[in-house]
Amino acid sequence: EVQLVESGGGLVQPGGSLRLSCAGSGFTFSSYWMHWVRQAPGKGLMWVSRIKSDGSRPSHADSVKGRFTISRDNAKNTLYLQMNSLRVEDTGVYYCARDPDSNGYSWFDPWGQGTLVTVSS
Amino acid sequence: DIQMTQSPSSLSASVGDRVTITCRASQIIRNYLNWYQQKPGKAPNLLIYAASSLQSGVPSRFSGSGSGTDFTLTIRSLQPEDFATYYCQQSYSTPYTFGQGTKLEIK
């Protein structure tokens, strides 16, 4: 069974840091692009970051650029999101998602169950 | 950034109804358009990719159409498990953007 499991969320003060992890299983992790998507409480979905299958070409939304860094360890089948200088508006559930990047087309499937990040003093 | 606008934002319907949700992109995105379903407290679930391709395991009552800037998600004969929030998402260029969501409620 293809599965993604996030961890690392929690309560952090503004200006603090967190590192999220996403463990993949049931598929060849190193063959897929991966993404982070977040959802603020009661709000819609916002794409955060993506990374190519080999760990190259990281890309981030402007709102997190310079503060968040996506990375991966294919030997450990794990995706990461290092989040620094956290702001209250970064609060939300963070999902990782797999992307087949099939013939140039991208979609997110499956998604992990999400991990909640709360930035508050 | 490409803006995605869904309509309606909410919709009331009955079991057995046919419903259509529309999504408009602020620029041409060819058929780089995906649809997701999200139920409360759960992660989104892919329904349609590349505008009209049905994801494996998704019931055939779901269908997608459109190209360019205008897209539709149609649910034929609503079932009780279909009451959820639906999002469109463009994958034409980063940042990949989502519509604001359409909440489908039971009438």
Side-chain angles (χ1 to χ4, degrees):
Chain A
E1 178 194 4
V2 174
Q3 195 171 16
L4 296 170
V5 178
E6 300 96 335
S7 59
L11 175 63
V12 62
Q13 292 188 337
S17 298
L18 275 178
R19 189 177 82 155
L20 306 183
S21 299
C22 167
S25 60
F27 65 101
T28 305
F29 185 81
S30 60
S31 295
Y32 291 85
W33 291 66
M34 295 294 296
H35 298 255
W36 288 99
V37 177
R38 76 182 182 195
Q39 187 167 36
K43 302 298 184 182
L45 301 166
M46 190 196 96
W47 175 81
V48 174
S49 303
R50 77 167 181 183
I51 190 166
K52 192 178 177 182
S53 52
D54 63 1
S56 65
R57 300 178 60 184
S59 178
H60 302 273
D62 284 347
S63 60
V64 307
K65 202 171 291 182
R67 300 188 298 122
F68 291 11
T69 302
I70 188 171
S71 63
R72 64 193 295 162
D73 184 338
N74 285 342
K76 295 182 177 179
N77 293 338
T78 303
L79 174 74
Y80 302 102
L81 186 66
Q82 178 67 44
M83 303 187 296
N84 299 330
S85 302
L86 281 161
R87 304 169 179 168
V88 171
E89 56 266 31
D90 295 319
T91 293
V93 176
Y94 284 72
Y95 298 100
C96 63
R98 186 183 74 167
D99 175 359
D101 189 44
S102 175
N103 295 321
Y105 287 88
S106 287
W107 57 84
F108 304 152
D109 179 69
W111 300 54
Q113 86 288 353
T115 188
L116 177 62
V117 172
T118 303
V119 185
S120 174
S121 54
Chain B
D1 298 1
I2 299 173
Q3 306 302 316
M4 306 301 294
T5 304
Q6 285 180 236
S7 61
S9 295
S10 64
L11 174 60
S12 293
S14 301
V15 172
D17 284 354
R18 180 177 190 263
V19 300
T20 298
I21 299 168
T22 65
C23 179
R24 174 165 288 179
S26 61
Q27 66 182 73
I28 290 172
I29 59 170
R30 295 166 58 185
N31 64 336
Y32 289 77
L33 191 283
N34 308 313
W35 290 97
Y36 301 88
Q37 177 194 66
Q38 186 178 33
K39 296 181 179 179
K42 300 295 186 181
N45 183 52
L46 176 70
L47 299 174
I48 302 286
Y49 62 92
S52 60
S53 295
L54 187 69
Q55 172 66 353
S56 175
V58 174
S60 59
R61 62 181 179 273
F62 291 90
S63 64
S65 65
S67 185
T69 60
D70 294 317
F71 303 86
T72 60
L73 172 71
T74 299
I75 311 172
R76 174 177 47 85
S77 188
L78 272 173
Q79 297 301 300
E81 60 268 28
D82 299 337
F83 293 93
T85 299
Y86 293 84
Y87 294 93
C88 63
Q89 175 242 333
Q90 65 82 17
S91 60
Y92 183 78
S93 64
T94 58
Y96 292 154
T97 43
F98 292 85
Q100 80 279 14
T102 295
K103 187 173 184 179
L104 178 54
E105 298 175 306
I106 300 174
K107 185 183 288 184

